[in-house]
Amino acid sequence: MNSLVKWVLILFVLFSIILNIVLIGIHQNKAPKCSAQRVHPLRGKHNERSGVFADLTREEYLQVQEYMLKQTDLDISTKQTTKPSENFLFLIDLSLPKKKEALEYLDGKSPKPVREATVVVFYGAKGHIKEYVVSPLPNPKKYRDVTLERYKKELPINARTVTIGEYVLIFQFFQEKVFVKLDKLLKESFNYSPKNNLNAFEQMPRGVQSGDRITWVSFFRDMSGMYIHPVGLEVLLNHKSVNSSQWTVDRLLYNGQYFDSVDELKQKYDDGTVKKIVYKESLDYGSLKPRKKPLELGPQQFYAEGKRYSINKNHVLYLDWSFAFGMSSLTGMRVFDVRFKDQRIVYELSVQEAMSVYGSVTPGMMLTKFLDSSIGIGRFGHELVRGVDCPYEATYVDTYRYIDAPAPIRFRNSICVFEHNMGQPLRRHFSDFFHNSYGGMVNSALVFRTITAIGNYDYMWDFIFYQSGAVEAKVHATGYISSSYLQDGSLKYGHQVAENVLGNIHTHFINFKVDLDVMGEYSSLPDYCCRG
Ligand SMILES: *[C@@H]1O[C@H](CO)[C@@H](O)[C@H](O)[C@H]1NC(C)=O
Ligand SMILES: [Cu+2]
């Protein structure tokens, strides 16, 4: 071959290698790099006025508690183990400002509304429940009974939720009035011993008419995932009286057979006229421990140009969005004054209720309707696990609550906020007919999340703020199903999930409150839809 051609070829190959190295080098510099600092400035400013929606601080809870204790004529106790027959300060929570006053303040037309707390006292000694408003905060000076104003009637003490103080007595009652008497049955059927206890799970409602306080309690093995280890014993506890000495067992169900008293069950069991359950060890199928150790790290997302959102106290800024947030011990998480491009589109978006309705052939789940807000939803918003419950790089926020406790409690990292790629473009179009063109938009959205573990269920609550101006309220249920011990006729009410275990048929209902204020305060849904 001609040596000139050879040299030209060698030079060409060299040149193309160098050109490739240079081009790759240039383009590598353009690839995003992690930046801890925000590269682009925030589009809006934090709003101090969002404080009207802020949860009470630790100091405010303490001030309200102290103020109520100073009212010695009310004779209130804050002890955790306060008995149902005594007066117990059950709840302190923010009293939301009236919308009109809050709006005027937010829009700079009037001074800040007086900050107030709602206080709920269970007056076991007087037989009723009272709700007070304590104000002003900080440094409360007065309280007002708002029970009639808010509920239009007196609230009987039987309407209260079960407190830890009452649970202590309930477990003691089962121990002394049921377990001790049935020791032979419990040992033979469930391998029960003081070290190998049975756990109680209650069903609701506690009766079928107002004033009832009779609760079917099902028993489960004391192991991880107890909710799917029912043993086949259910007891109807009558705890209507605030005096626990007057509580009774009204009925029992053992292995599908009903008994009117503990003594009757004991008698018939000893006589051998009862179809017995013979203890058999159950597999640890409900365990939370991973079956295999996870060794690999999944994909992670990172903030290439720093976080595009910012949180100051209870106010969030994110691209064109801004909103205030809070967490009610009873109803759960909520956001207020949600603005897009500085226009208020939602006054309030909040979790209100999570109901689950069950079916079963056994009394435990036959009538069951859990209305979670009656126990409290937000109170169960516990710490979120970094990298599992929320992305590793999310921002985590503490909350403080005062409910069924002797003092306010800090729930570390119980809210998380993060921006995330949602895994699909927000919109896209590819045109190949008259024109060849493509247009798409990355779907990166801000997620505001809490997770509440209420008994067996863990509800994962998300409010998601999209760049299109849409807000989504989303809930996902996980945790454990509720189950019953399998007996004749059970399979009409669910599916068998383990050897003697029925996963009961049920439905979930979730309620959110959405107060839309698109283009003004008086927008209604149809109005909104047709205005486009
Ligand atoms: C509670 O009930 C028991 C049994 O009826 C009674 O002896 C006792 O005096 C009651 N206690 C109170 C504080 O009323
Ligand atoms: Cu479910």
Side-chain angles (χ1 to χ4, degrees):
M1 211 201 298
N2 189 326
S3 69
L4 183 67
V5 174
K6 222 198 245 168
W7 276 110
V8 167
L9 270 177
I10 289 170
L11 271 175
F12 178 74
V13 168
L14 267 175
F15 177 74
S16 83
I17 288 172
I18 290 167
L19 185 70
N20 266 300
I21 290 171
V22 169
L23 282 176
I24 289 169
I26 289 171
H27 283 276
Q28 232 173 14
N29 280 341
K30 282 190 188 160
K33 276 208 195 88
C34 270
S35 168
Q37 297 301 317
R38 186 174 296 120
V39 172
H40 307 286
L42 293 167
R43 292 186 197 167
K45 279 206 181 69
H46 279 294
N47 186 353
E48 284 295 325
R49 290 169 194 253
S50 296
V52 284
F53 304 112
D55 296 341
L56 300 188
T57 64
R58 192 189 149 73
E59 288 66 35
E60 285 173 325
Y61 284 124
L62 287 170
Q63 285 173 8
V64 174
Q65 184 196 38
E66 197 186 331
Y67 174 78
M68 290 308 284
L69 285 175
K70 263 199 276 181
Q71 315 308 312
T72 47
D73 55 321
L74 297 181
D75 188 24
I76 297 171
S77 164
T78 55
K79 277 210 311 281
Q80 184 85 79
T81 50
T82 303
K83 294 199 176 87
S85 56
E86 299 166 328
N87 305 329
F88 181 54
L89 201 171
F90 174 68
L91 171 83
I92 303 173
D93 209 348
L94 174 73
S95 204
L96 282 170
K98 289 207 168 66
K99 179 176 177 182
K100 187 168 176 291
E101 290 171 26
L103 280 182
E104 282 176 7
Y105 171 64
L106 289 171
D107 298 340
K109 291 179 200 150
S110 69
K112 190 175 180 177
V114 177
R115 191 162 161 80
E116 299 177 319
T118 292
V119 173
V120 176
V121 181
F122 295 162
Y123 283 102
K126 296 178 193 163
H128 56 221
I129 301 171
K130 285 282 180 205
E131 197 155 310
Y132 300 109
V133 165
V134 174
S135 67
L137 291 178
N139 308 314
K141 289 187 182 56
K142 61 174 201 258
Y143 71 95
R144 191 159 62 84
D145 180 352
V146 293
T147 316
L148 285 176
E149 183 184 315
R150 288 190 179 170
Y151 301 96
K152 316 292 174 223
K153 57 174 188 203
E154 291 291 346
L155 302 176
I157 190 69
N158 280 335
R160 77 194 185 283
T161 195
V162 174
T163 59
I164 290 173
E166 187 176 4
Y167 278 121
V168 168
L169 296 175
I170 289 177
F171 298 144
Q172 205 176 317
F173 177 89
F174 282 129
Q175 194 61 47
E176 291 168 3
K177 301 285 161 65
V178 182
F179 291 179
V180 168
K181 286 188 184 169
L182 294 178
D183 61 338
K184 183 159 173 280
L185 177 154
L186 295 175
K187 177 77 195 144
E188 290 175 359
S189 299
F190 316 130
N191 194 32
Y192 171 85
S193 70
K195 265 201 296 214
N196 192 18
N197 211 340
L198 294 178
N199 288 337
F201 185 57
E202 309 159 279
Q203 307 310 330
M204 282 166 223
R206 303 175 191 279
V208 290
Q209 61 189 8
S210 180
D212 277 357
R213 201 170 172 83
I214 40 171
T215 307
W216 274 102
V217 179
S218 313
F219 290 94
F220 294 77
R221 284 185 213 284
D222 184 18
M223 55 199 293
S224 180
M226 62 163 251
Y227 303 102
I228 47 175
H229 289 284
V231 295
L233 176 67
E234 301 182 0
V235 177
L236 181 59
L237 169 71
N238 187 331
H239 51 133
K240 189 166 181 169
S241 174
V242 292
N243 178 350
S244 63
S245 309
Q246 292 172 356
W247 292 354
T248 53
V249 168
D250 285 3
R251 261 197 134 187
L252 299 95
L253 177 83
Y254 167 74
N255 200 20
Q257 305 148 92
Y258 284 99
F259 304 88
D260 286 332
S261 68
V262 176
D263 290 332
E264 187 197 339
L265 170 56
K266 182 183 160 58
Q267 190 62 48
K268 291 191 170 160
Y269 184 88
D270 290 343
D271 292 350
T273 55
V274 165
K275 194 159 55 97
K276 295 181 179 178
I277 295 172
V278 179
Y279 174 72
K280 204 175 132 198
E281 200 174 335
S282 69
L283 297 171
D284 190 17
Y285 49 74
S287 172
L288 290 169
K289 230 188 220 157
R291 304 294 187 268
K292 264 194 273 174
K293 201 173 174 195
L295 293 171
E296 296 153 354
L297 195 63
Q300 306 286 317
Q301 286 197 18
F302 58 90
Y303 295 94
E305 297 187 328
K307 289 178 177 172
R308 301 199 292 178
Y309 64 89
S310 161
I311 305 173
N312 180 28
K313 292 178 187 156
N314 73 322
H315 190 248
V316 177
L317 282 177
Y318 164 61
L319 299 180
D320 288 322
W321 289 101
S322 71
F323 59 89
F325 66 85
M327 178 88 155
S328 150
S329 289
L330 294 180
T331 56
M333 71 177 194
R334 51 198 186 185
V335 295
F336 293 94
D337 192 21
V338 179
R339 299 184 203 195
F340 187 70
K341 298 196 168 164
D342 214 31
Q343 273 198 47
R344 183 177 304 119
I345 61 169
V346 174
Y347 176 74
E348 175 182 348
L349 171 60
S350 53
V351 176
Q352 292 292 323
E353 185 60 282
M355 174 165 78
S356 41
V357 177
Y358 287 83
S360 182
V361 74
T362 48
M365 303 239 82
M366 195 184 285
L367 287 172
T368 293
K369 289 159 200 70
F370 288 119
L371 283 157
D372 287 349
S373 79
S374 69
I375 312 161
I377 297 173
R379 70 188 282 190
F380 298 111
H382 290 284
E383 179 164 7
L384 298 165
V385 173
R386 195 175 269 270
V388 181
D389 292 333
C390 312
Y392 195 86
E393 288 295 335
T395 304
Y396 295 81
V397 181
D398 298 349
T399 54
Y400 289 84
R401 297 196 276 284
Y402 189 114
I403 181 168
D404 199 4
I409 298 173
R410 176 169 80 125
F411 290 84
R412 201 168 79 109
N413 297 349
S414 45
I415 293 175
C416 76
V417 179
F418 56 92
E419 186 183 359
H420 216 58
N421 185 304
M422 306 303 276
Q424 277 186 333
L426 188 58
R427 59 168 168 76
R428 59 94 71 194
H429 180 65
F430 178 76
S431 172
D432 70 350
F433 201 52
F434 292 113
H435 305 276
N436 265 325
S437 65
Y438 169 84
M441 186 173 177
V442 178
N443 190 7
S444 191
L446 188 87
V447 181
F448 181 86
R449 173 177 297 167
T450 58
I451 303 182
T452 55
I454 310 162
N456 56 314
Y457 275 119
D458 299 59
Y459 287 111
M460 307 197 274
W461 308 96
D462 282 356
F463 292 155
I464 308 173
F465 300 85
Y466 292 93
Q467 290 180 57
S468 57
V471 191
E472 183 182 6
K474 190 170 161 184
V475 65
H476 187 103
T478 178
Y480 288 98
I481 54 170
S482 278
S483 70
S484 301
Y485 190 77
L486 207 65
Q487 65 173 66
D488 287 346
S490 279
L491 290 173
K492 268 166 70 182
Y493 297 93
H495 291 279
Q496 189 172 358
V497 294
E499 193 178 344
N500 284 311
V501 186
L502 179 84
N504 296 80
I505 189 170
H506 66 282
T507 311
H508 295 266
F509 297 86
I510 305 291
N511 295 139
F512 294 97
K513 176 178 175 183
V514 191
D515 182 353
L516 273 182
D517 270 1
V518 175
M519 297 179 81
E521 206 187 319
Y522 300 102
S523 60
S524 61
L525 216 45
D527 204 3
Y528 165 54
C529 88
C530 307
R531 223 182 270 164

